[in-house]
């Protein structure tokens, strides 16, 4: 068997572990946030809530913190769902950086509460699963919705 060498570009690239909350309400709608322009990865597109795991945090702690920061909602329960990875360019303070992201998806139920978007989002909205295909969703979330069967290829 031939020896494979590591991808040197990935070896030199920053890696981020990202928790992703797939939040569904009682009506079966999915919560997404519209990323602000010139902010984060894939600005101006719709995203699941979530973000980077901070040093010293468990995945659960990061998931709960990110959902609270980005929506003011509290997680009632969650189930591990999926994972994916990829390279994306992150924009912050007028600078861009290529980062290798590892996404860990969690299916979440939240307690009732008023949606208040955090700093990263222009707004938050609930989407029927049938409408996800015609929504400007970022590529990583889109891939996850295809795998879940909510968007047809």
């Amino acid at each position: 068997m031939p020896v494979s060498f590591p991808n040197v570009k990935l070896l030199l690239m920053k890696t981020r572990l990202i928790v992703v909350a797939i939040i569904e309400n009682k009506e079966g709608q999915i919560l997404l946030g519209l990323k602000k322009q010139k902010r984060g990865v894939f600005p101006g597109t719709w995203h699941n809530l979530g973000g980077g795991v901070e040093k010293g945090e468990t995945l659960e702690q990061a998931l709960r913190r990110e959902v609270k920061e980005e929506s003011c909602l509290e997680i009632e329960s969650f189930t591990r769902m999926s994972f994916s990875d990829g390279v994306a360019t992150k924009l912050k303070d007028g600078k861009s950086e290529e980062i290798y992201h590892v996404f860990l998806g969690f299916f979440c139920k939240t307690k009732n509460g008023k949606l208040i978007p955090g700093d990263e989002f222009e707004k938050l909205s609930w989407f029927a699963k049938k409408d996800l295909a015609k929504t400007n969703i970022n590529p990583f979330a889109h891939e996850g919705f295809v795998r879940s069967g909510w968007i047809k290829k």
Side-chain angles (χ1 to χ4, degrees):
M1 182 181 287
V3 175
S4 64
F5 294 95
N7 181 326
V8 175
K9 185 176 178 183
L10 284 179
L11 280 174
L12 299 174
M13 196 176 292
K14 181 178 178 180
T15 299
R16 291 205 63 208
L17 184 60
I18 307 293
V19 290
V20 179
I22 298 94
I23 301 172
E24 184 176 23
N25 65 14
K26 291 179 178 123
E27 291 77 32
Q29 298 169 315
I30 303 300
L31 180 63
L32 298 175
L34 181 61
K35 188 70 81 169
K36 289 182 178 177
Q37 292 293 335
K38 300 182 182 178
R39 177 84 191 243
V41 177
F42 305 112
T45 61
W46 290 93
H47 291 243
N48 294 102
L49 277 55
V53 177
E54 295 178 359
K55 189 173 184 172
E57 276 187 320
T58 65
L59 297 177
E60 179 178 351
Q61 289 168 332
L63 184 67
R64 291 182 183 281
R65 175 185 52 77
E66 287 289 345
V67 168
K68 182 80 169 169
E69 286 176 0
E70 294 181 350
S71 68
C72 289
L73 296 177
E74 290 186 39
I75 293 177
E76 186 172 78
S77 63
F78 68 92
T79 305
R80 289 174 177 89
M81 190 171 150
S82 64
F83 72 91
S84 64
D85 67 334
V87 175
T89 302
K90 182 174 183 175
L91 301 175
K92 187 174 182 180
D93 301 325
K95 297 178 184 173
S96 65
E97 176 183 20
E98 273 197 323
I99 300 173
Y100 175 65
H101 293 85
V102 178
F103 298 97
L104 304 171
F106 296 85
F107 187 74
C108 302
K109 297 286 185 183
T110 58
K111 298 176 183 177
N112 290 335
K114 183 177 179 180
L115 284 178
I116 302 171
D119 293 342
E120 294 184 25
F121 294 118
E122 289 182 25
K123 62 182 176 177
L124 301 170
S125 295
W126 294 100
F127 290 85
K129 291 174 188 168
K130 67 179 179 60
D131 296 330
L132 292 173
K134 54 188 172 192
T135 303
N136 185 23
I137 298 172
N138 79 73
F140 291 127
H142 187 274
E143 175 188 327
F145 291 149
V146 167
R147 275 190 272 114
S148 70
W150 297 341
I151 294 178
K152 304 295 181 214
K153 276 190 171 181

